């Protein structure tokens, strides 16, 4: 490697600006800065969408004062597009420049902003109104929502849409423009173009990174083991370090050993060799003889003792260290714990515990400063063993007796001391150093540095460990040197202090880090009279910082004129395991001239050394760290796999074999073997061991250059391997620091580490943001850093986060505690104020998108199943004809007839009992009472309403007996009832439009309701939401004439319409389903048979009575079967959570029905209120059925069962039902029989995405528990059909559930009679096989699986599993995802995520997360959400939206309204805390 002289000149102009814009010269290299600037210039100004942030989130920085930047500098053209309402985007800006980037996107398009907005709709045309005829999209229908800020958006089928709206949302809103911008940035091709492969089998293989065929490969000869010069023989060399101490302490007691300074730089105390010897003796005697517990000595030789001394007290530390050695105790020096939550403190505690430490030595002053418990004793820190704290100030020590003398043995292999080291993962290990190693190391250092007796040495390093300990405490005593110890606190106050001390003490040697040189450069202007001419050696002990060359060069430039000779600068390389590895020799020892290498960073990432010639952009300039130590053998071995020797032009790990290395990691035998005993290795490529001596790994990466000089290019700990290429954290930091302007972040406070996401390392960069940096500036700096790293290192940054000033965990002596920062990042406890995620750029190992298979016809599927021995998936409930007398079925064909018959035969039999929130009976109805009330309603309809047979009547009632009576009144009058949920008085704007919509779409001729609701419908508030003049006739049924109905209407045919069932699906579609009299009675009959309902039974119902099964159970079943229904309106649970369970207990109900939302309210609300539950006894409950139209929620049903087990609830009582309201008003099945609780059937979501089912063991990774949805109702047949070919599928194949039953609905009720549009739903036929049967399509995906269990008829039981709604599924990367699966993963990601909903927008996955915690946690969630979705679903999240709790709209059945949420997001109505656009 040619020694290219690239001395970096420091221009005087820069020196002037130092005070205002200080630069971190450690990482400073003009070449590098120029390279970064050039790289950035290559990028066009590509605008990235800036995250939106709520203002309150900006104010949580630890620095209280923010100075708003001058807003007048905004350019004129930035005010063209303003957002209505609050501006939540950027802080401290007048609204004139709220979204400058937005205008550029819009102005940049060829047409005006509104015209171009339609282009985000596929095909570029607005959606045609005709497509919406039957599916009426609603903004906030059916939502019990407390979000009052939301505005409703409607599309009426008969109104042509506004030409620039897509699905009712104006597309030129801020949000979608940002998304457009995000899409534009993502259109760039990913580099490098990877060869993707993907096997479409059960196993989904991730992209395997293929090595680049053009990557550089090492070409040199294999290197040999490097041998250091022999250790010189010194006459009169002491046999041990303690012997040296005794010699100097007795023969030269007055010689100065150590001078301690205070924070002003004054010498506080000088310890002489005599004092050091006598005090260490006293301490050794006290420790062995005066400390007892239970009359036994507390310590015996070989015990470990913690040394807890502050950095400002080297004198006491030295006494304690040598005192322990004299007492044959093993000192374990550690940092002073300042608080209970110090970074890494827990790991230090683990080290102390594993070393068996029971005693800690400290000073009086330090002990007073430690946190205390109330008893006045020092607290036990988290993870620490119980310690006895012993203060070693003079008054606490006893004088040794005349006859006591310590044993000064020769240096042996016994442990002398333990030095702690923190690994990359944050674990703290103790490295044991033997007496022999300690002595050998002192000898080698003395020889390599040419130390002589009575020399003066200035030490700026930490004296407790590493080079500070080796030079300033051990080797100095060996040679009777005088050490001037500069505390860290003094350096912070006066960075020049070490240079002044070198000058005033005429020190010959100084031990510093490049940071200290850099600090002194910043302050050197103030000093003119310092001289460094006395220095013969300036040891730069950075361990392994390839960037120290810039500090050395810059320091030399300035101080050469003050007597500093260039050859005096001696960098060294060291590691905790191998101690000093190499050091540049001082000039008088005549080493080779220093070397410099300019290396290509790209080649380095492949582990190959190439001197950079053509591309000057990405280079790393490194200087040598001298020659290896005397008496040592060194070799460089491959980093990965078997430790083979490297070639001459290859970077590897440096390994050392010498008598002066550490021995082991204390108590950790396994990793010790791996690091300290690389035995019989390193091997040559022939497989022959190099030596029979064990080598020690240093953890340093480097190579050996010309003249046998060692070059270090990084540490193994800082290594990040991305897609097979190795990058060094320090290099990435240096690139970030070279991005100008640097006034937005603190220079020395940047952490770079990697996290593993989706089987590869991802780079994370965290920096502290200055309090005065504006949002825009910081964001711009972040995007420039991304581009610079991308350009220079050819690697993408996965996440870049800025945190408020002073919030990153600090290492003991400044710097950032990297592993703790990483831990906080992964736990979501970093609390950043700015985040930029770039998964689209970084994640290149996703599976290949699934290609659709060429059409496989239904016939070949059946043949395939037959060949595979699989049966066709179909199942049916019990045959109704065998179960019941058909005469009764005929007699009970019309519900109006049934009610009249019951009123005659059992007039006083109670049918309904309604409870209020206090648990008291609000109203009741017997058979006769209900009949009478129905008659009065029928009379009112005919006389007051003047309605004709077949007219539609909207029933707008709260849940109660009125609703039931008016329903039967409509049947008596021959009218068609439509039940409608009443509007919510507190949120009329959100709920009234839904009422209006159903009334209009159902063509209701009249509205029946109560007095209170009548007033509400005609109120001023209502007028603001809808046009109240267009309501049809409103009849108030509170006071009706008591007239007898002349004749009750009787339908001419059972196929006549009985009622309309209107509901809004979770996808926001309003659909009305027509139910005939025949279907209604068939449904009631099936439920009666399945649930065994008779007049003597009582059931409790806590469901919404407006549609689907809730309506059937609430209004129809009691009249049909004659049982008594105890009605509990779910809304009443909001004021009294225990209402439903109390009712079940009080009335000793055997069968009860509820919804998931009710179950969730009970689980959450009653979990803590044990006193309310003492009176409740649920042992009477035989079946508690959850009525739902979704996949069974296993976690909720299990926690409900567990929680109420102690109140007598049987584990087998809770069961699920599945009914599909949208297309078929039927209850397909009820999970009555508890044996089929098949939790062991876990289903792999990976296979699910391919519409396949694969059963795996419980707890398998990526698995999903599914519970059987229940037993199929009598008279119901179920088949699983292929969603596209409509052919039948085999057992355990995922497809659409099709149903055939007597109670199927007859079709959709639509405005223009466009039944043909959805005839398919109700009259579907299979395309192959049994093509005669007419089926109804449920729109739900599921599968049938034959089990080993037998049912009542002796047949094997077919279990039906519901997976999810077809409408809700997301098509991404050619696969089908169920939102609930992604949401479940996201909710698990962090404790503060209360709820989550996902949807797609222009092929981007949008995740909306409700934050239940402080707003400063909001940005933590962005990375966690992105990680978990990548890991578990192989999907990249496009946008993460953090909102307040309660923003995700949920309907009364507890289902998320994802489409409404999407509309609200795109119309910018969510008032999010933070919106992150992932790059």
């Amino acid at each position: 490697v040619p020694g290219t002289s690239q001395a970096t000149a420091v221009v005087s102009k820069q020196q002037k600006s130092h005070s205002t814009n200080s630069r971190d010269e450690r990482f400073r290299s003009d070449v590098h800065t120029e390279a970064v600037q050039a790289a950035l210039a290559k990028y066009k100004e590509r605008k990235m969408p800036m995250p939106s942030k709520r203002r309150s989130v900006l104010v949580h920085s630890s620095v209280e004062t923010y100075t708003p930047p001058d807003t007048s500098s905004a350019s004129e053209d930035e005010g063209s597009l303003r957002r209505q309402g609050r501006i939540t985007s950027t802080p401290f800006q007048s609204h004139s420049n709220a979204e400058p980037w937005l205008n550029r996107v819009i102005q940049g398009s060829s047409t005006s902003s509104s015209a171009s907005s339609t282009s985000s709709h596929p095909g570029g045309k607005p959606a045609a109104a005709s497509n919406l005829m039957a599916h009426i999209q609603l903004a906030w229908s059916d939502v019990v929502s407390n979000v009052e800020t939301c505005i409703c958006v409607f599309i009426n089928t008969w109104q042509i849409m506004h030409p620039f709206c897509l699905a009712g949302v104006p597309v030129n809103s801020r949000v979608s423009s940002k998304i457009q911008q995000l899409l534009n940035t993502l259109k760039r091709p990913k580099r490098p173009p990877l060869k993707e492969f993907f096997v479409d089998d059960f196993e989904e293989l991730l992209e395997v990174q293929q090595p680049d065929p053009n990557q550089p490969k090492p070409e040199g000869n294999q290197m040999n083991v490097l041998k250091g010069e022999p250790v010189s023989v010194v006459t009169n060399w002491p046999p041990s370090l303690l012997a040296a101490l005794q010699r100097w302490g007795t023969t030269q007691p007055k010689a100065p050993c150590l001078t301690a300074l205070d924070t002003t730089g004054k010498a506080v105390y000088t310890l002489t060799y005599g004092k050091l010897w006598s005090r260490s003796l006293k301490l050794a005697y006290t420790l062995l003889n005066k400390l007892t517990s239970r009359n036994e000595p507390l310590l015996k030789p070989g015990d470990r003792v913690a040394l807890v001394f502050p950095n400002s007290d080297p004198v006491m530390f030295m006494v304690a260290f040598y005192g322990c050695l004299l007492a044959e105790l093993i000192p374990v020096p550690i940092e002073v714990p300042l608080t209970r939550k110090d970074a890494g403190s827990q790991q230090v505690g683990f080290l102390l515990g594993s070393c068996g430490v029971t005693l800690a030595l400290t000073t009086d002053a330090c002990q007073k400063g430690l946190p205390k418990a109330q008893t006045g004793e020092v607290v036990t820190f988290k993870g620490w063993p119980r310690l006895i704290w012993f203060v070693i100030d003079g008054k606490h020590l006893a004088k040794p007796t005349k006859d006591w003398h310590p044993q000064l043995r020769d240096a042996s292999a016994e442990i002398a001391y333990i030095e702690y080291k923190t690994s990359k993962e944050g674990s703290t290990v103790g490295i044991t150093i033997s007496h022999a190693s300690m002595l050998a190391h002192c000898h080698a250092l003395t020889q390599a540095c040419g130390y002589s007796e009575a020399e003066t040495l200035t030490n700026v390093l930490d004296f407790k460990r590493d080079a500070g300990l080796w030079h300033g405490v051990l080797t100095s005593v060996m040679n009777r040197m005088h050490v001037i110890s500069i505390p860290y606190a003094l350096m912070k106050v006066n960075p020049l202090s070490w240079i002044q001390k070198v000058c005033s003490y005429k020190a010959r040697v100084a031990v510093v880090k490049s940071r200290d040189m850099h600090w002194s450069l910043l302050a050197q202007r103030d000093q003119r009279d310092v001289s460094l001419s006395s220095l013969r050696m300036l040891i730069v002990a950075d361990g392994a910082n390839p960037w120290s060359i810039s500090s050395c060069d810059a320091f030399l430039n300035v101080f050469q004129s003050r007597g500093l000779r260039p050859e005096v600068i001696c960098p060294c390389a060291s590691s905790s395991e191998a101690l000093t590895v190499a050091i540049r020799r001082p000039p008088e020892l005549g080493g080779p001239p220093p070397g410099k290498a300019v290396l290509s960073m790209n080649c380095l990432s492949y582990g190959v050394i190439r001197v950079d010639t053509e591309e000057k952009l990405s280079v790393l300039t490194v200087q040598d760290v001298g020659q290896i130590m005397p008496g040592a053998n060194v070799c460089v071995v491959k980093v990965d796999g078997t430790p083979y020797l490297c070639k001459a032009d290859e970077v590897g790990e440096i390994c050392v074999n010498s008598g002066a290395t550490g021995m082991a990691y204390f108590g950790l035998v396994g990793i010790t073997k791996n690091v300290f005993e690389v035995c019989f290795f390193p091997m040559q490529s022939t497989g022959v061991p190099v030596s029979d001596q064990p080598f020690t790994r240093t953890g340093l990466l480097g190579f050996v250059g010309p003249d046998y000089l060692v070059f270090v290019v990084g540490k193994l700990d800082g290594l990040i391997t991305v897609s097979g290429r190795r990058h060094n954290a320090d290099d990435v930091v240096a690139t970030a620091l070279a991005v100008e302007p640097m006034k937005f972040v603190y220079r020395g406070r940047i952490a770079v580490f990697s996290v593993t996401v989706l089987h590869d390392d991802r780079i994370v960069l965290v920096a502290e943001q200055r309090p005065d940096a504006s949002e825009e500036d910081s964001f711009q700096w972040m995007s420039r850093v991304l581009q610079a790293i991308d350009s220079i290192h050819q690697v993408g940054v996965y996440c870049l986060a800025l945190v408020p000033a002073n919030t990153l965990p600090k290492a003991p002596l400044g710097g950032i505690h990297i592993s703790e920062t990483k831990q906080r990042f992964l736990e979501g406890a970093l609390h950043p104020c700015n985040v930029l995620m770039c998964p689209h750029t970084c994640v290149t190992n996703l599976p290949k998108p699934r290609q659709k298979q060429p059409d496989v016809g239904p016939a070949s599927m059946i043949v395939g199943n037959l060949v595979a021995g699989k049966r066709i998936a179909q199942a049916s409930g019990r045959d109704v004809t065998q179960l019941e007398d058909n005469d009764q079925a005929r007699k009970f064909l019309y519900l109006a007839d049934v009610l009249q018959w019951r009123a005659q035969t059992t007039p006083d039999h109670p049918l309904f009992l309604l409870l209020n929130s206090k648990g008291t009976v609000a109203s009741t109805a017997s058979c006769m009472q209900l009949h009478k009330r129905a008659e009065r309603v029928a009379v009112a309809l005919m006389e007051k309403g003047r309605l004709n047979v077949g007219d539609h009547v909207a029933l707008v009632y709260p849940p109660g007996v009125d609703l039931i009576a008016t329903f039967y009144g409509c049947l008596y009058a021959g009218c068609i009832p439509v039940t409608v949920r009443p509007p919510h008085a507190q949120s009329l704007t959100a709920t009234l439009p839904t009422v209006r919509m159903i009334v209009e779409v159902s063509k209701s001729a009249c509205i029946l309701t109560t007095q209170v609701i009548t007033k509400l419908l005609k109120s001023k508030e209502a007028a603001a939401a809808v046009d109240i003049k267009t309501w049809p006739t409103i009849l108030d049924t509170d006071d009706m004439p008591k007239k007898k109905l002349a004749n009750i209407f009787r339908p001419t045919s059972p196929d006549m319409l009985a009622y309309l069932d209107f509901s809004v699906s979770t996808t926001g579609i309003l659909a009305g389903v027509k139910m005939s009299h025949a279907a209604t009675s068939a449904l009631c009959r099936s439920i009666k048979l399945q649930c065994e309902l008779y007049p003597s039974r009582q059931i409790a119902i806590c469901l919404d009575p407006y549609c689907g099964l809730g309506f059937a159970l609430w209004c129809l079943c009691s009249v049909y079967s004659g049982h008594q229904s105890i009605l509990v309106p779910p809304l009443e649970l909001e004021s009294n959570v225990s209402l439903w369970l109390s009712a079940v207990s009080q009335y000793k109900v055997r069968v009860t029905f509820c919804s998931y939302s009710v179950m969730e309210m009970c689980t959450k609300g009653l979990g803590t209120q044990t006193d309310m539950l003492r009176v409740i006894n649920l042992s009477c409950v035989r079946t508690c059925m959850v009525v739902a139209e979704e996949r069974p929620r296993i976690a909720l049903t299990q926690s409900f069962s567990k929680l109420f087990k102690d109140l007598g609830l049987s584990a087998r009582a809770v069961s699920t039902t599945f009914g599909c309201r949208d297309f078929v008003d039927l209850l397909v099945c009820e999970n009555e029989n508890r044996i089929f609780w098949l939790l062991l059937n876990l289903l792999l979501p990976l296979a699910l995405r391919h519409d396949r089912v694969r059963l795996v063991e419980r707890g398998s990774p990526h698995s999903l528990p599914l519970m059987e949805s229940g037993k199929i109702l009598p008279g119901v047949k179920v088949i699983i059909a292929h969603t596209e070919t409509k052919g039948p599928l085999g057992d355990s194949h995922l497809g659409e559930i099709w149903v055939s039953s007597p109670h199927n609905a007859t079709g959709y009720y639509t405005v223009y009679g466009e039944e043909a549009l959805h005839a398919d739903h109700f009259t579907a036929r299979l395309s192959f096989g049994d093509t005669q049967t007419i089926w109804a399509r449920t729109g739900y995906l599921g599968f049938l699986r034959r089990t080993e269990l037998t049912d009542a008829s002796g047949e094997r039981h077919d279990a039906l599993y519901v997976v999810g709604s077809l409408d809700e599924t997301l098509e991404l990367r050619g696969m089908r995802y169920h939102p609930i699966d992604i949401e479940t993963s996201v909710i698990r990601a962090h404790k503060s995520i209360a709820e989550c909903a996902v949807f797609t927008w222009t092929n981007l996955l949008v995740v909306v997360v409700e934050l239940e915690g402080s707003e400063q946690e909001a940005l933590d969630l962005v990375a966690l959400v992105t990680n978990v979705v990548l890991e578990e679903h192989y999907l990249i999240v496009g946008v993460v939206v953090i909102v307040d709790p309660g923003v995700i709209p949920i309907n009364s059945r507890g289902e998320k309204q994802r489409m409404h949420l999407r509309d609200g997001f795109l119309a910018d109505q969510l008032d999010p805390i933070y919106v992150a656009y992932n790059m």
Side-chain angles (χ1 to χ4, degrees), residues 180-246:
Q180 194 51 53
Q181 210 169 349
L182 176 54
L183 288 171
N184 294 342
T185 53
L186 297 180
K187 275 178 193 156
R188 290 170 54 239
K190 285 184 197 169
R191 209 187 50 248
L194 287 158
K195 235 172 71 257
E196 287 192 309
F197 77 86
F198 178 67
V199 181
D200 188 12
D201 187 35
F202 280 146
E203 294 308 329
E204 188 156 348
L205 293 178
L206 283 175
E207 176 63 55
V208 174
Q209 303 286 336
Q210 298 297 328
D212 177 3
N214 303 322
Q215 73 182 47
K217 295 183 175 60
E219 295 155 5
N221 301 325
Q222 188 179 332
M223 68 164 292
N224 297 316
V225 174
L226 204 57
K227 294 194 181 323
E229 73 233 47
V231 179
S232 56
V233 180
V234 183
T235 51
N236 182 7
W237 186 255
S240 71
L241 192 58
L242 292 176
L245 174 62
Q246 183 187 30

Side-chain angles (χ1 to χ4, degrees), residues 71-332:
T71 51
S72 61
S73 61
S75 61
E76 285 302 301
D77 65 320
E78 288 182 345
S80 61
L81 199 132
R82 295 183 188 177
R83 181 178 155 223
Q84 304 303 311
R86 272 181 300 186
I87 288 174
T88 59
S89 59
T90 43
F92 321 123
Q93 292 183 340
S94 59
H95 62 281
S96 64
N97 63 344
E99 294 296 348
W101 52 265
L102 195 74
N103 312 310
R104 290 192 199 119
V105 172
I106 291 166
Q107 288 159 5
S109 67
S110 54
T111 54
S112 72
S113 61
S114 55
S116 64
S117 64
T118 54
S119 64
S120 58
H121 189 72
K125 292 183 188 139
S130 63
N131 299 349
L132 299 164
M133 286 303 179
H135 281 138
I136 292 164
Q137 206 108 16
L138 231 66
W140 291 93
S141 51
D142 201 24
V143 184
V144 181
S145 168
N146 52 0
V147 185
E148 295 181 26
T149 53
C150 301
I151 301 159
C152 298
V153 182
F154 288 130
I155 306 161
N156 287 349
T157 45
W158 49 86
Q159 287 177 343
I160 295 298
M161 276 173 58
H162 186 271
F164 308 127
C165 285
L166 171 61
V169 178
V171 180
N172 59 3
S173 68
R174 288 169 57 229
V175 177
S176 37
S177 308
K178 284 196 178 181
I179 292 181
Q180 194 51 53
Q181 210 169 349
L182 176 54
L183 288 171
N184 294 342
T185 53
L186 297 180
K187 275 178 193 156
R188 290 170 54 239
K190 285 184 197 169
R191 209 187 50 248
L194 287 158
K195 235 172 71 257
E196 287 192 309
F197 77 86
F198 178 67
V199 181
D200 188 12
D201 187 35
F202 280 146
E203 294 308 329
E204 188 156 348
L205 293 178
L206 283 175
E207 176 63 55
V208 174
Q209 303 286 336
Q210 298 297 328
D212 177 3
N214 303 322
Q215 73 182 47
K217 295 183 175 60
E219 295 155 5
N221 301 325
Q222 188 179 332
M223 68 164 292
N224 297 316
V225 174
L226 204 57
K227 294 194 181 323
E229 73 233 47
V231 179
S232 56
V233 180
V234 183
T235 51
N236 182 7
W237 186 255
S240 71
L241 192 58
L242 292 176
L245 174 62
Q246 183 187 30
R247 178 199 291 176
W248 306 128
T250 49
T251 63
Q252 303 271 354
K254 291 277 192 303
C257 168
L258 178 71
T259 298
L261 308 173
D262 63 11
T263 48
T264 61
K266 280 223 296 276
V268 188
Y269 183 79
T270 297
L271 180 71
T272 61
Y273 278 94
K275 278 279 185 226
L276 176 59
W277 172 244
S278 62
R279 282 196 189 178
S280 304
L281 274 181
K282 267 189 184 175
L283 178 59
Y285 175 74
T286 309
L287 290 177
L288 289 178
N289 300 293
K290 297 296 178 189
L291 298 181
T292 55
S293 76
R294 301 199 185 92
N295 297 328
E296 289 281 310
L298 184 68
L299 300 166
K300 51 186 186 301
D303 282 355
R304 273 75 56 199
V305 176
L307 268 51
V308 186
F309 292 89
N311 187 258
S312 54
D313 202 343
V315 172
M316 293 304 244
F317 172 80
M318 208 158 174
V319 169
F321 190 87
Y322 282 106
C324 287
L325 293 186
L326 284 170
E328 294 184 27
L329 299 170
I330 298 168
V332 185

Side-chain angles (χ1 to χ4, degrees), residues 300-564:
K300 51 186 186 301
D303 282 355
R304 273 75 56 199
V305 176
L307 268 51
V308 186
F309 292 89
N311 187 258
S312 54
D313 202 343
V315 172
M316 293 304 244
F317 172 80
M318 208 158 174
V319 169
F321 190 87
Y322 282 106
C324 287
L325 293 186
L326 284 170
E328 294 184 27
L329 299 170
I330 298 168
V332 185
I334 58 168
E335 304 303 332
V336 178
L338 300 174
T339 65
R340 288 181 178 217
K341 289 187 179 164
D342 277 4
S345 166
Q346 199 170 347
Q347 290 292 338
V348 172
F350 174 74
L351 170 68
L352 297 179
S354 61
C355 289
V357 173
T358 53
L359 181 77
L361 305 184
T362 187
T363 64
D364 196 30
C366 180
Q367 202 258 2
K368 283 185 177 140
L370 291 172
K372 305 286 190 301
Q374 287 169 331
T375 54
E377 291 180 6
V378 177
V379 296
T380 301
F381 297 98
K382 190 177 175 188
W384 284 39
R386 284 192 69 80
L387 294 179
I388 298 166
W389 292 84
F390 181 64
V391 174
I392 65 159
D393 296 42
K395 58 184 182 219
H396 299 283
L397 302 182
K399 205 172 174 192
T401 54
K402 291 268 175 26
D403 56 345
W404 185 82
H405 296 291
Q407 289 179 309
L408 298 183
R409 299 200 175 113
D410 286 357
S412 64
E414 299 289 312
I415 301 175
Y417 69 95
I418 294 176
E419 180 172 312
Y420 81 88
K421 171 202 168 178
T422 304
S423 75
K424 182 181 181 178
E425 284 71 44
S427 53
T428 300
V429 291
I431 294 159
T432 59
I433 315 290
S434 69
H435 285 275
S437 291
M438 186 165 69
L439 183 71
H441 190 223
C442 289
H443 195 165
L445 276 181
T446 303
Q447 183 175 332
C449 301
Y451 284 140
S452 56
E453 262 184 55
E455 265 192 313
T456 307
L457 174 146
T458 310
N459 178 27
V460 190
L461 306 188
D462 179 12
F463 49 74
K464 294 192 280 295
R465 54 194 300 264
D466 218 66
L469 175 71
W470 307 330
H471 289 268
V473 174
L474 306 177
T475 312
S476 61
V477 167
M478 206 61 169
N479 294 294
R480 192 171 66 82
M481 291 159 69
H482 179 197
V483 176
I484 318 296
S485 189
I486 316 276
Y488 177 64
L490 171 57
M491 282 296 290
K492 276 170 59 174
V493 178
N494 174 10
L496 274 178
S497 52
W498 71 272
I499 296 179
Q500 291 160 355
K501 295 304 161 201
V502 166
C503 182
S504 58
Y505 283 93
K506 299 280 181 288
R508 306 271 291 139
V509 181
V511 188
V512 298
K513 283 196 167 181
S514 56
R515 175 187 68 191
D516 308 319
M517 300 163 80
H518 160 60
W519 281 2
S520 49
L521 275 180
L522 299 185
Q524 53 84 24
R525 287 190 323 284
D526 319 332
Q527 292 288 332
R528 291 277 169 266
D529 51 350
V530 291
S531 160
L532 294 176
S533 55
S534 63
L535 277 184
R536 67 175 185 82
M537 198 173 185
L538 175 58
I539 300 173
V540 184
D542 269 21
N545 178 2
W547 295 91
S548 61
I549 181 166
S550 41
S551 291
C552 293
D553 287 350
F555 187 78
L556 181 63
N557 264 328
V558 172
F559 285 98
Q560 201 162 355
S561 58
R562 320 255 174 104
L564 180 69

Side-chain angles (χ1 to χ4, degrees), residues 1 597 599 604 609 622 636 648-652 654 701-706 709-713:
V1 180
L599 306 176
L604 270 184
I609 300 151
V622 287
V636 182
D649 58 344
E650 195 175 0
V651 173
I654 298 172
L701 297 174
F703 60 94
V704 178
L709 292 174
V710 178
F711 287 83
V712 172
V713 294

